[in-house]
Amino acid sequence: MFKKWITRIAITCAVGVGIIAGTGSAALAGDTWLILSDIDGRQVGAMQHVDDGDSFRVYDSLKDGYSVEGCLQTYTPRTGWVTLRCKNNDSGAGTYESFSYDVITGLIYRMRLCHALVPCAYQGFNE
């Protein structure tokens, strides 16, 4: 009799831990950052995917008279990388421009960040 109760308690605890672990896995998803630096290592811009709400922010980090352009791209086997949406930050250093795009689970995405004096940088991510 005692052995049955111990078994039932163990199974109940295991199921409870499984439920908590399963619901907690969505919290592991986080924001994705892409930092663009010049040849001297100075940050000229950044792009952030804010996972909560699927918004994208394009930051201009350097007061140099040039804007920073951030784009969201997805990969399709037939055509390769396809640009879905872009935002140019010409508001000045220390600011960001944002846009929203509903990122779908199961697709491959990447952020592209470009500056006039620095080659573009890329950062892949998925939902």
Side-chain angles (χ1 to χ4, degrees):
M1 179 87 165
F2 182 70
K3 195 172 186 179
K4 280 185 179 182
W5 281 104
I6 295 294
T7 304
R8 288 179 183 171
I9 290 171
I11 291 172
T12 303
C13 289
V15 169
V17 169
I19 289 171
I20 291 170
T23 59
S25 64
L28 295 176
D31 298 349
T32 303
W33 281 90
L34 170 59
I35 306 294
L36 182 62
S37 301
D38 66 8
I39 195 167
D40 296 324
R42 292 177 299 201
Q43 182 177 322
V44 297
M47 187 170 177
Q48 177 187 19
H49 168 232
V50 181
D51 189 49
D52 184 24
D54 282 337
S55 67
F56 295 84
R57 297 177 181 170
V58 180
Y59 296 86
D60 188 350
S61 305
L62 190 61
K63 189 173 185 175
D64 58 2
Y66 294 99
S67 63
V68 178
E69 181 184 61
C71 296
L72 173 64
Q73 298 179 319
T74 188
Y75 185 79
T76 60
R78 176 181 274 176
T79 57
W81 288 104
V82 176
T83 300
L84 302 172
R85 187 102 191 260
C86 290
K87 189 69 169 186
N88 193 325
N89 183 343
D90 53 4
S91 299
T95 65
Y96 72 86
E97 298 282 338
S98 63
F99 66 91
S100 296
Y101 192 89
D102 188 19
V103 176
I104 300 170
T105 302
L107 297 180
I108 301 169
Y109 293 95
R110 75 177 180 185
M111 296 183 292
R112 182 185 76 196
L113 189 61
C114 298
H115 184 273
L117 302 177
V118 180
C120 296
Y122 301 90
Q123 175 66 45
F125 70 98
N126 54 17
E127 189 70 15

mmCIF file of all heavy atoms in Angstrom, residues 15-16 27 68:
data_model
loop_
_atom_site.group_PDB
_atom_site.id
_atom_site.type_symbol
_atom_site.label_atom_id
_atom_site.label_comp_id
_atom_site.label_asym_id
_atom_site.label_seq_id
_atom_site.Cartn_x
_atom_site.Cartn_y
_atom_site.Cartn_z
ATOM 1 N N VAL A 15 4.954 14.633 -13.665
ATOM 2 C CA VAL A 15 4.037 15.308 -14.583
ATOM 3 C C VAL A 15 4.062 16.812 -14.333
ATOM 4 O O VAL A 15 4.102 17.611 -15.261
ATOM 5 C CB VAL A 15 2.603 14.731 -14.450
ATOM 6 C CG1 VAL A 15 1.599 15.590 -15.189
ATOM 7 C CG2 VAL A 15 2.562 13.305 -14.966
ATOM 8 N N GLY A 16 4.072 17.221 -13.069
ATOM 9 C CA GLY A 16 4.121 18.647 -12.735
ATOM 10 C C GLY A 16 5.382 19.307 -13.254
ATOM 11 O O GLY A 16 5.340 20.398 -13.832
ATOM 12 N N ALA A 27 9.646 30.960 -22.774
ATOM 13 C CA ALA A 27 10.318 32.097 -22.166
ATOM 14 C C ALA A 27 11.793 32.150 -22.532
ATOM 15 O O ALA A 27 12.448 33.152 -22.314
ATOM 16 C CB ALA A 27 10.155 32.040 -20.655
ATOM 17 N N VAL A 68 21.805 54.671 -41.224
ATOM 18 C CA VAL A 68 21.931 53.221 -41.108
ATOM 19 C C VAL A 68 20.624 52.617 -41.598
ATOM 20 O O VAL A 68 19.543 53.098 -41.276
ATOM 21 C CB VAL A 68 22.180 52.818 -39.638
ATOM 22 C CG1 VAL A 68 22.276 51.314 -39.504
ATOM 23 C CG2 VAL A 68 23.444 53.470 -39.115
#
